[in-house]
Amino acid sequence: MSDRLIESASQTAGPYVHIGCLPSWAGIDGIYPEDLGATIAGPGARGERITLKGRIFDGAGEPLRDSMVELWQADAAGLYQSPGEYRGAADPDFRGWGRAATDADTGLYRFDTILPGAVRSGGVTHAPHVALWIVARGINLGLHTRAYFAGLPENAADPVLTLPELAGRVDTLLAVRDGGTWTFDIHLQGGRETVFFDV
Amino acid sequence: MSDSGPPPRLSPRDFSVQPAALSPAYRSSRLRAPERKLVALPGQLGDLTGPAFGHDLPGAADHDLIHNFAAAGASALGPRIIVHGTLRDESGRPVPDALIEVWQANAGGRYRHKNDAYLAPLDPNFGGCGRVITGADGSYSFLTVVPGPYPWPNGGNDWRPAHIHFSVFGTAFAQRLITQMYFEGDPHIALCPIVNAIPDKGAIDRLTARLDMGRTVPMDMRAYRFDIVLRGPDATMFENGTGG
């Protein structure tokens, strides 16, 4: 296929990614009414409300305070709010996509969303999970990972969590529950390095 | 909801044209690069779907960085330009209705961000962000001023080339891309450790916008052309007739 084009090269989002993607967070008011991706689940969204939060640690154990994380997930019934969803209509009050900065002091990111349903596709059932995409200064190509929910029975048969190459590393993909809040810390490098995917 | 079955799988990413996670001359990458190999997870529905943004998202001035932060009757300082191009996928098909967000420094190389302490002054009439939705033919354009180069703390006397950051959505979360656009003829491009994290000269060249005299507005503004390519459908699967 000689006429195929080649994907544009990625470059780091840099330390000022917020100017373009979260301008109100960066203190730039008056251009957009609000930052994109603030609301994942509208007031009428079906499902169990949860907060997903955590920090992203570098190889020295320091939390990133200048990164941006995007979330993409199915609704409570396991359907995606996307033109590419072919299995049914997703919850009209659930957007499924969110965007957050890591806090400039604490390094915490936070998403207020709902617990996703299992995704049944191609004869396979995927345990409830959210996809996360991480960009920052020092990250040349955005990193894809997934947060699963520790303790859910569907995890045992999930086709990703049971991949042989994830043996010994599955814990890095499990968010931990405390009431309605799930904590998912990400380690970019080192002994507790999170599993990142080539999707 | 689509009537056409599952979205097509994407071609495997060609890492020979992408920057390595660890590029030591770019010092920030040293502690932020994973050491383990990425785990291949192709063709998952969640990654082949993605959010859509309507044409009503951008406000009337969102594409015009010359004016979208300026006081009434004022405009940003610096050389006025149109930046335009086409968003396509690897199969050459235009990507319509896609959100492109941009951000940049002002003409003096200063960002409107609390962490930027460069001594060049802020421009009171320049914010530095804009967004557009691509047209039916994948085209986009916005108006801005040429950003200035700026020094950055990378351990030596490093200066970024003039550049504009681009954040691009396709139809699939797996197509998500953030990159930087450079300007034809800038001698800083060859010196920059962030640019040189890309191992392929052709890939760097494709991030370099060309002066486009055909799209200039006489006595008003020059133009630069910057085309963007996202990952496309898997050619092998289409040849086999199993596109879904």
Side-chain angles (χ1 to χ4, degrees), chain A:
Chain A
M1 295 277 292
S2 57
D3 57 343
R4 273 183 83 78
L5 304 176
I6 302 170
E7 185 189 14
S8 298
S10 172
Q11 291 271 262
T12 179
Y16 309 128
V17 57
H18 321 95
I19 294 174
C21 295
L22 297 161
S24 296
W25 187 93
I28 300 173
D29 295 316
I31 299 183
Y32 309 151
E34 61 180 4
D35 287 342
L36 213 53
T39 302
I40 300 168
R46 297 187 286 268
E48 178 190 340
R49 300 265 161 182
I50 62 167
T51 294
L52 179 70
K53 69 175 180 65
R55 291 186 289 178
I56 304 169
F57 295 93
D58 69 15
E62 282 293 311
L64 276 57
R65 297 179 176 88
D66 57 5
S67 63
M68 182 177 88
V69 188
E70 289 185 358
L71 169 148
W72 176 238
Q73 67 167 91
D75 68 8
L79 296 169
Y80 289 98
Q81 189 64 263
S82 170
E85 174 59 84
Y86 69 102
R87 302 164 300 155
D91 182 345
D93 216 19
F94 186 68
R95 162 129 235 189
W97 176 79
R99 177 184 268 177
T102 49
D103 186 88
D105 297 317
T106 64
L108 280 167
Y109 71 84
R110 175 190 170 125
F111 294 108
D112 292 315
T113 183
I114 55 117
L115 189 69
V119 175
R120 294 173 184 83
S121 164
V124 178
T125 297
H126 296 262
H129 66 277
V130 305
L132 297 173
W133 187 67
I134 301 151
V135 295
R137 169 177 66 89
I139 295 177
N140 287 320
L141 178 68
L143 294 168
H144 288 273
T145 189
R146 287 181 169 196
Y148 288 80
F149 299 89
L152 296 196
E154 295 97 324
N155 291 344
D158 181 80
V160 175
L161 294 180
T162 53
L163 285 172
E165 62 257 56
L166 263 57
R169 304 183 70 198
V170 169
D171 283 357
T172 72
L173 298 179
L174 297 178
V176 178
R177 178 173 206 156
D178 179 8
T181 297
W182 295 80
T183 296
F184 183 66
D185 287 333
I186 295 164
H187 297 268
L188 297 179
Q189 192 185 90
R192 286 187 290 170
E193 186 174 306
T194 299
V195 174
F196 299 104
F197 296 104
D198 174 18
V199 298

Side-chain angles (χ1 to χ4, degrees), chain B residues 9-76:
Chain B
R9 290 172 69 121
L10 298 176
S11 283
R13 175 166 261 152
D14 180 356
F15 285 96
S16 72
V17 297
Q18 294 294 340
L22 177 62
S23 31
Y26 174 27
R27 289 166 62 123
S28 295
S29 77
R30 296 180 190 175
L31 287 172
R32 295 184 170 195
E35 294 167 324
R36 309 284 294 263
K37 273 185 63 172
L38 301 179
V39 173
L41 204 61
Q44 305 276 306
L45 180 61
D47 299 312
L48 298 177
T49 53
F53 302 92
H55 285 263
D56 54 347
L57 171 72
D62 285 5
H63 71 292
D64 181 359
L65 285 70
I66 296 174
H67 294 104
N68 68 13
F69 195 74
S75 60

